[in-house]
Amino acid sequence: QLQLQESGPGLVRPSETLSLTCTVSGDSISSSSYYWGWIRQPPGKGLEWIGAVFHSGDTQYNPSLKSRVTISVDRSKNQFSLKLTSVTAADTAVYFCARENVAGLDYWGQGTLVTVSS
Amino acid sequence: DTQMTQSPSSLSASVGDRVTITCRTSQGINNYLAWYEQKPGKVPRLLIYSASALQSGVPPRFSGSGSGTDFTLTISSLQPEDAAIYYCQKYNSVPRTFGPGTKVEIK
């Protein structure tokens, strides 16, 4: 059974960099033909697609965040990561990692709340 | 970017009712549309992909239809456990935008 688990700091200071990692178990990122993505949800609000990475390292980003986002993959650890720079309170959200196939987001992590505050 | 709208933004219906939610896109996306269900405090769950294909394990009371710019999610007989927010998402191109959501409440 495929499982995804987000990890990283729950509190980030304004203007600093948010860094999260998603560990995949039950499947190899390298052997699959999927994109691996990040989605966020501010408290009480809707879902926002941040971007995704293929095991080759190919990335796709939401243009609204592209200047601040980097998504990378570590095949040796079966992980992929999100970095979001210059964060503000508007970046406070639950961050989900998920598997993207040609039919949508079919497996999700449990999500992790990241609060931006001094 | 393609804009996504959903209607209604919320609804209240009784157990056994037929419920229909609409998703519209500002540009045609063929059938590259998915529907998700998110219960309070839970992770979104994929219900429908390719506009009308039922994801494995999803009850058959859920169905989807549409193509191009107009799509619908139908719950044929609403159940108490269907209280949730429902989101559509386009995935034909970047960004893979979600709709604003429709909150379904049980009377």
Side-chain angles (χ1 to χ4, degrees):
Chain A
Q1 174 75 354
L2 182 69
Q3 292 186 322
L4 295 87
Q5 180 66 58
E6 304 90 350
S7 59
L11 179 65
V12 181
R13 306 297 184 193
S15 80
E16 296 188 345
T17 296
L18 178 160
S19 296
L20 295 174
T21 295
C22 183
T23 300
V24 179
S25 58
D27 190 14
S28 170
I29 286 181
S30 298
S31 66
S32 57
S33 300
Y34 304 105
Y35 272 85
W36 302 88
W38 290 96
I39 302 94
R40 70 180 182 178
Q41 185 171 40
K45 296 188 177 180
L47 299 164
E48 181 179 30
W49 181 81
I50 299 170
V53 63
F54 198 62
H55 63 76
S56 63
D58 175 57
T59 52
Q60 296 181 333
Y61 297 131
N62 190 324
S64 68
L65 297 168
K66 188 173 184 176
S67 63
R68 299 194 292 130
V69 171
T70 302
I71 298 176
S72 59
V73 63
D74 186 334
R75 291 183 294 274
S76 67
K77 295 181 178 179
N78 221 37
Q79 296 175 334
F80 61 104
S81 299
L82 168 70
K83 291 188 185 298
L84 181 66
T85 62
S86 305
V87 297
T88 69
D91 295 309
T92 294
V94 174
Y95 286 76
F96 297 99
C97 59
R99 188 178 81 169
E100 295 194 9
N101 66 20
V102 294
L105 300 156
D106 59 353
Y107 285 90
W108 295 62
Q110 288 301 303
T112 186
L113 174 63
V114 178
T115 302
V116 178
S117 175
S118 56
Chain B
D1 287 357
T2 302
Q3 304 305 307
M4 310 280 290
T5 59
Q6 285 183 235
S7 60
S9 57
S10 65
L11 64 90
S12 180
S14 300
V15 172
D17 283 354
R18 182 181 183 89
V19 168
T20 299
I21 299 168
T22 296
C23 176
R24 288 195 170 91
T25 62
S26 60
Q27 300 176 42
I29 61 170
N30 291 313
N31 67 337
Y32 292 101
L33 188 101
W35 289 96
Y36 301 86
E37 169 192 77
Q38 187 178 30
K39 297 181 180 180
K42 300 297 185 182
V43 178
R45 175 176 75 138
L46 178 65
L47 299 175
I48 301 286
Y49 62 93
S50 298
S52 61
L54 193 67
Q55 174 71 354
S56 174
V58 175
R61 64 179 180 274
F62 291 93
S63 64
S65 64
S67 184
T69 61
D70 295 306
F71 303 88
T72 59
L73 172 70
T74 299
I75 308 172
S76 61
S77 178
L78 190 67
Q79 299 302 302
E81 62 268 30
D82 298 335
I85 298 176
Y86 293 85
Y87 295 95
C88 58
Q89 184 204 20
K90 72 168 193 72
Y91 55 92
N92 64 312
S93 64
V94 171
R96 296 197 259 280
T97 309
F98 291 88
T102 295
K103 185 175 184 178
V104 174
E105 296 179 326
I106 310 298
K107 285 183 182 175

